[in-house]
Amino acid sequence: MFGGVGKAGWASILVAGGLVLGASVSAQAADLGGDCCADLEERVAELEATTARKGNRKVSLSVYGKINQGVMFWDDGSESNAYVVTNDASRSRFGLKGGAKINSDLSANFRLEIGVRSANSKRNNQYDSINADESGFDIRHAWWNIKSKTFGTIQVGHTPTASQEITEINLAGTSDVGKFSDVEDSGGGFFLAATGRAAMNGGLQWRRLIARTGAQPGEGDRREAVLYESPEFAGFTASAAWGGDDFWDVGLRFEREFNHIKVEAGIAYSSINDGIDDSATHGCPARNTTSHDAKCQMIGGSISIMDTKSGLYGNFGAGQMWDDSTTSAAHFAGTGVDDTYTFWATEVGIQRKWNELGKTTLFGQYYNYTGGGITQNVSAADPINLAGGQAQIFSSEVNMWGVGVMQKIDAADMKLYAMYRNYEFDLELARNGVVSQSAPLEDFQVLMTGAVINF
């Protein structure tokens, strides 16, 4: 019965016949024994394992995701503790993606991805280890596109824009541990503490000192938009996006390898003049909190260079935002407030395979942010506030230095990591046209340890 069918023939039958036929062949193979049938058992197992990843006959479907959980040790100068968290630098997620070939030039593709936060490392604080209001699911991607090899890609939905991740380019992959240019993911929800005083519950979170609390000046977002990406030419790719009332951005990226030197870089410009979509998640620093009007522009970029022979690498990112509403905001009338917000950051390190598990990465980071007025209330009861009543952020500065190690485990597509960061803050407040320094602020320290596993 089986004599005329070789290994290759059985493989074809299994693929064509699907899981049901595969199960039948597996049962018969068990009776026959031998190397041939052991090979058949392996092929059947592969078929069974991948059945859930199969779409319909025309559109492919694959399931993917990652789990990124860790322990965050923290010290705010008056208290120290440890929480089990979802590392929001690259939070846990699951997704579906796939596509279909239309002809030799065109394809249609889709992606649906959901983020999962069980205890958000960016939102919890001294008084809330879980922050249930910020735990749960969020939509990261929900889009379709039409891709042409000749003319480029049009993408529609909840999508990255031209400026998204433009300041975070990193060939070493340490963004899973802690982004060198997006530092509030490690404890940004903690309340600032005045020197010698406990932080006030419900006080000022230190991530609010950064003009864009969900990203840095110059860094874009995923949002409801239409995105165009050009075909690659000599390593360059151009893109542009429009969405959400009056938002638009344009970007240019470059990726090329010169012998053993890898280079990846990008730059983008954004304009945010949005009265609806930007009212919360994408708002400008001094937007009108009643009408939600916004009027600001940003430019940002980054570059990553790696020598694949030595393993040495370096990243650099920077960005700036201008908010035209700042100087006219009632909170800052007559104060001469600055309407610009700037950051720069760098990471240097080495990535080598020193053991059989996989590559080890040792790295150091430095980050600096300085900015002007931000529409953010600072309670009169907060010990950091010496203004004599409720005030606004007139200017702020955040400095961070950190070191880390990341160990790849190739056999499990896994990364183990540990990262230490020290944050320093400076803050000026404005109240009724009078500017005053805040109380001296304690440093904030974080040690993040954990692992990320991809599937």
Side-chain angles (χ1 to χ4, degrees):
M1 177 177 178
F2 300 100
V5 182
K7 295 182 180 180
W10 275 116
S12 299
I13 293 173
L14 288 173
V15 172
L19 183 59
V20 176
L21 179 57
S24 174
V25 172
S26 178
Q28 297 180 56
D31 295 333
L32 289 177
D35 293 338
C36 171
C37 297
D39 182 61
L40 287 177
E41 290 283 2
E42 182 178 351
R43 291 174 183 266
V44 170
E46 291 177 358
L47 182 62
E48 291 172 343
T50 58
T51 299
R53 298 173 178 263
K54 183 64 178 174
N56 59 38
R57 293 183 179 181
K58 297 181 179 179
V59 180
S60 66
L61 170 66
S62 63
V63 180
Y64 69 94
K66 68 170 66 173
I67 301 295
N68 192 356
Q69 301 291 117
V71 179
M72 184 173 71
F73 302 86
W74 57 268
D75 186 336
D76 69 356
S78 64
E79 181 185 358
S80 60
N81 211 325
Y83 295 158
V84 177
V85 297
T86 299
N87 187 343
D88 204 56
S90 183
R91 61 186 171 278
S92 302
R93 67 198 62 173
F94 61 90
L96 307 171
K97 62 182 178 180
K101 186 176 181 181
I102 299 173
N103 56 39
S104 60
D105 183 66
L106 293 174
S107 63
N109 308 279
F110 71 92
R111 184 174 181 181
L112 177 64
E113 183 176 297
I114 306 299
V116 182
R117 297 181 176 104
S118 60
N120 191 346
S121 67
K122 180 179 178 177
R123 303 296 179 92
N124 50 20
N125 56 63
Q126 292 95 326
Y127 301 93
D128 189 351
S129 63
I130 299 176
N131 201 306
D133 291 341
E134 300 296 342
S135 298
F137 301 109
D138 68 303
I139 299 174
R140 291 177 47 82
H141 295 269
W143 51 257
W144 59 264
N145 70 32
I146 300 294
K147 184 174 183 178
S148 166
K149 297 176 184 178
T150 306
F151 301 105
T153 302
I154 292 289
Q155 190 158 291
V156 180
H158 188 78
T159 174
T161 62
S163 55
Q164 211 265 326
E165 296 185 344
I166 201 69
T167 66
E168 304 171 357
I169 296 171
N170 185 345
L171 288 169
T174 56
S175 296
D176 284 338
V177 182
K179 298 173 184 175
F180 74 98
S181 60
D182 196 2
V183 298
E184 70 273 13
D185 288 326
S186 302
F190 279 70
F191 303 121
L192 287 169
T195 302
R197 300 283 301 275
M200 186 184 84
N201 189 5
L204 181 63
Q205 297 174 325
W206 69 255
R207 69 189 179 94
R208 299 296 183 183
L209 302 185
I210 300 172
R212 305 195 70 231
T213 59
Q216 309 305 308
E219 175 60 30
D221 302 286
R222 290 177 298 272
R223 60 162 70 213
E224 277 34 73
V226 178
L227 171 70
Y228 169 75
E229 292 183 325
S230 74
E232 182 270 336
F233 178 75
F236 289 95
T237 305
S239 57
W242 168 90
D245 197 357
D246 291 316
F247 161 84
W248 62 270
D249 65 1
V250 292
L252 183 67
R253 297 176 188 258
F254 175 79
E255 186 175 356
R256 182 64 70 87
E257 186 167 356
F258 304 93
N259 294 321
H260 53 88
I261 303 297
K262 286 185 177 180
V263 179
E264 188 172 344
I267 188 169
Y269 173 84
S270 306
S271 175
I272 304 173
N273 297 288
D274 199 325
I276 300 176
D277 182 56
D278 282 307
S279 61
T281 55
H282 310 293
C284 298
R287 75 183 192 280
N288 186 308
T289 54
T290 301
S291 68
H292 300 308
D293 288 340
K295 189 176 183 182
C296 56
Q297 303 84 41
M298 301 190 300
I299 187 169
S302 57
I303 184 170
S304 182
I305 301 174
M306 174 178 282
D307 180 350
T308 56
K309 279 190 175 180
S310 67
L312 294 170
Y313 75 92
N315 307 324
F316 179 82
Q320 183 162 317
M321 172 184 281
W322 304 264
D323 190 341
D324 296 343
S325 303
T326 305
T327 55
S328 60
H331 305 293
F332 309 119
T335 61
V337 68
D338 190 358
D339 64 353
T340 60
Y341 313 82
T342 305
F343 95 95
W344 68 272
T346 188
E347 175 179 313
V348 294
I350 184 169
Q351 187 172 84
R352 297 283 298 272
K353 190 170 183 179
W354 284 306
N355 58 65
E356 295 303 315
L357 293 174
K359 291 183 177 180
T360 305
T361 307
L362 305 174
F363 61 92
Q365 300 176 336
Y366 180 78
Y367 169 96
N368 171 264
Y369 164 87
T370 56
I374 302 174
T375 300
Q376 175 65 49
N377 292 329
V378 183
S379 170
D382 196 326
I384 72 171
N385 186 354
L386 303 180
Q390 181 173 287
Q392 299 284 317
I393 295 175
F394 177 77
S395 69
S396 57
E397 182 174 0
V398 178
N399 286 283
M400 184 280 297
W401 65 267
V403 294
V405 57
M406 181 179 76
Q407 176 63 55
K408 183 74 182 296
I409 302 178
D410 292 334
D413 199 2
M414 188 177 190
K415 297 175 182 177
L416 303 177
Y417 59 79
M419 177 187 68
Y420 169 82
R421 282 178 167 178
N422 183 84
Y423 297 89
E424 299 177 356
F425 314 104
D426 189 66
L427 174 63
E428 288 183 305
L429 302 175
R431 171 174 164 76
N432 297 332
V434 178
V435 179
S436 61
Q437 190 74 28
S438 74
L441 302 172
E442 292 279 9
D443 291 356
F444 182 71
Q445 300 176 74
V446 169
L447 174 63
M448 183 79 76
T449 64
V452 53
I453 184 168
N454 298 290
F455 60 87

